[in-house]
Amino acid sequence: MPLSGDRLRAWEPASWPVAHDWQPVVRQFLGSAVGRSLGAFVQDRIDAAATVYPPAPFQALAETPLAQVRVVILGQDPYHG
């Protein structure tokens, strides 16, 4: 199972829930060169026993339909512990 505990265990975005209207956006990104590169990088880090957060990377996309989104702000909390 890719999601377990408090960290990501495998790069398996097809198994992560996403709201229906986000699916084409996510599919396009994951199929792009940048999306494939990101997936390879994250899986390499997981394979190297690195702790990768969060355990459910697309959780916000499952909880908030694209039609309700007006602004997306990306950021990272550098102090997860």
Side-chain angles (χ1 to χ4, degrees):
M1 174 148 208
L3 304 178
S4 177
D6 61 351
R7 66 188 180 122
L8 187 65
R9 304 290 179 167
W11 181 258
E12 295 180 358
S15 69
W16 303 335
V18 177
H20 179 73
D21 54 352
W22 276 108
Q23 291 176 1
V25 176
V26 171
R27 190 173 26 254
Q28 181 178 2
F29 171 72
L30 293 174
S32 73
V34 172
R36 290 190 308 273
S37 178
L38 175 64
F41 173 77
V42 172
Q43 189 59 57
D44 286 348
R45 297 300 300 139
I46 292 168
D47 292 346
T51 300
V52 178
Y53 298 103
F58 295 165
Q59 186 66 39
L61 306 182
E63 294 181 15
T64 309
L66 179 58
Q68 293 180 0
V69 174
R70 298 293 178 252
V71 175
V72 176
I73 299 172
L74 300 176
Q76 178 180 350
D77 178 357
Y79 307 104
H80 357 322

